[in-house]
């Protein structure tokens, strides 16, 4: 069965701190991996995606993620967070026309 | 380019009733997927429609059904509503076999 798990339910950081959100996946075959962000009161937006090639992918707003096949991980990183990064972050895998999401990580950035 | 739109924004129903939610796909997209997002959880895949046919389904009972129209817009119908059906229902559109989906703002359904 396909599954995606996110380790941290709620992360609280101060502005300028570095961020790493964990994501592990379990899939039987090829999987494409995504990170989405949901700002308060807004809809899900794509941050970045990995299909193949360079395992380090860069997304919008300074976010990046690294695909580590041996660890079945796709962790999201940002060197220096801002107050405006406060949001919920979802990791997802997509295969055979279906997306499987993790339960999300709520990030609160204190000014 | 018009994004994914959903209606209504909010809806309140009572247990046992039926509900229809609507989604208009992004221009140029022919595939629509529906997700249920319960409070504190990630979106759960309900089903996907392509060329007016169901093209994949998650672990949801038959009382969850859908339609896709020739203009690629879609409806999600839920019969015999239960309290646990209270959730945010998301629609996402994409090109067929494309893994990148674009999400609408969702419909918040409350079942009392």
């Amino acid at each position: 069965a396909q599954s995606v798990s996110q380790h941290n339910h709620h992360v609280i950081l101060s502005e300028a701190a570095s961020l790493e959100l964990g994501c592990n996946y379990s899939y039987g075959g090829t999987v494409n991996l995504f990170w989405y962000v949901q700002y308060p009161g807004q809809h899900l937006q794509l941050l970045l995606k990995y299909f193949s090639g360079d395992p380090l992918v860069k997304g919008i707003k300074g976010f990046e993620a690294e695909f580590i096949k041996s660890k079945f991980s796709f962790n999201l990183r940002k060197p220096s967070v801002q107050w405006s990064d406060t949001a919920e972050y979802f990791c997802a895998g997509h295969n055979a026309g279906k997306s499987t999401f993790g339960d999300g990580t709520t990030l609160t950035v204190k000014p | 380019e018009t994004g994914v739109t959903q209606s209504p924004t909010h809806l309140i129903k009572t247990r046992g009733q039926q509900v229809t939610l609507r989604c208009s796909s992004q221009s140029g997209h022919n595939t629509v997927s529906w997700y249920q997002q319960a409070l504190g959880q990630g979106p759960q895949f309900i089903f996907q429609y392509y060329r007016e046919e169901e093209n994949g389904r998650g672990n949801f009972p038959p009382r969850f059904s859908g339609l896709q129209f020739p203009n690629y817009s879609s409806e999600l119908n839920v019969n015999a509503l239960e309290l646990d059906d209270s959730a945010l229902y998301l629609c996402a559109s994409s090109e067929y076999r494309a893994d990148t989906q674009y999400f609408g703002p969702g419909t918040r359904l409350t079942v009392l």
Side-chain angles (χ1 to χ4, degrees), chain B residues 32-70:
Chain B
V32 173
S33 301
W34 286 91
Y35 294 83
Q36 180 196 67
Q37 187 178 8
L39 201 61
Q41 296 182 19
Q44 301 290 315
F45 176 74
I46 302 175
F47 43 56
Q48 182 183 85
Y49 274 82
Y50 169 67
R51 285 189 176 179
E52 304 175 50
E53 302 244 342
E54 190 178 287
N55 184 47
R57 190 178 183 94
N59 295 326
F60 282 81
R63 59 189 185 84
F64 284 78
S65 63
L67 285 173
Q68 186 181 32
F69 300 99

Side-chain angles (χ1 to χ4, degrees), chain B residues 4-101:
Chain B
V4 179
T5 60
Q6 293 185 242
S7 63
T9 306
H10 296 89
L11 205 49
I12 300 175
K13 292 285 189 178
T14 56
R15 198 168 43 180
Q17 285 189 309
Q18 178 265 343
V19 69
T20 298
L21 310 182
R22 295 177 175 82
C23 170
S24 291
S25 61
Q26 184 166 306
S27 176
H29 289 177
N30 55 19
T31 302
V32 173
S33 301
W34 286 91
Y35 294 83
Q36 180 196 67
Q37 187 178 8
L39 201 61
Q41 296 182 19
Q44 301 290 315
F45 176 74
I46 302 175
F47 43 56
Q48 182 183 85
Y49 274 82
Y50 169 67
R51 285 189 176 179
E52 304 175 50
E53 302 244 342
E54 190 178 287
N55 184 47
R57 190 178 183 94
N59 295 326
F60 282 81
R63 59 189 185 84
F64 284 78
S65 63
L67 285 173
Q68 186 181 32
F69 300 99
N71 67 354
Y72 307 130
S73 67
S74 176
E75 286 183 355
L76 164 64
N77 298 291
V78 187
N79 294 322
L81 283 167
E82 300 177 0
L83 298 179
D84 285 349
D85 295 334
S86 295
L88 180 68
Y89 287 85
L90 298 171
C91 168
S93 74
S94 64
E95 297 175 11
Y96 184 58
R97 294 191 179 277
D99 286 345
T100 302
Q101 301 176 91

Side-chain angles (χ1 to χ4, degrees), chain A:
Chain A
Q2 303 168 348
S3 69
V4 173
S5 62
Q6 294 181 239
H7 316 303
N8 317 99
H9 294 293
H10 195 178
V11 172
I12 302 173
L13 296 173
S14 298
E15 274 193 314
S18 65
L19 170 73
E20 181 160 4
L21 301 182
C23 172
N24 284 93
Y25 65 92
S26 174
Y27 269 79
T30 304
V31 61
N32 297 319
L33 297 165
F34 302 78
W35 275 97
Y36 291 89
V37 61
Q38 192 169 32
Y39 297 104
Q42 297 188 29
H43 59 278
L44 274 170
Q45 299 175 38
L46 181 66
L47 266 182
L48 48 79
K49 58 188 177 184
Y50 173 78
F51 287 0
S52 63
D54 188 345
L56 185 63
V57 292
K58 295 190 183 299
I60 60 172
K61 305 186 181 186
F63 286 91
E64 63 180 31
E66 185 174 12
F67 171 66
I68 303 179
K69 189 174 181 179
S70 61
K71 295 184 178 180
F72 301 95
S73 69
F74 188 57
N75 293 353
L76 181 71
R77 300 196 293 244
K78 185 171 184 178
S80 176
V81 295
Q82 303 172 323
W83 175 79
S84 58
D85 292 326
T86 294
E88 188 145 21
Y89 293 81
F90 293 95
C91 181
H94 190 98
N95 174 263
K98 171 185 171 181
S99 284
T100 302
F101 284 80
D103 281 338
T105 297
T106 302
L107 172 65
T108 301
V109 180
K110 295 182 175 181

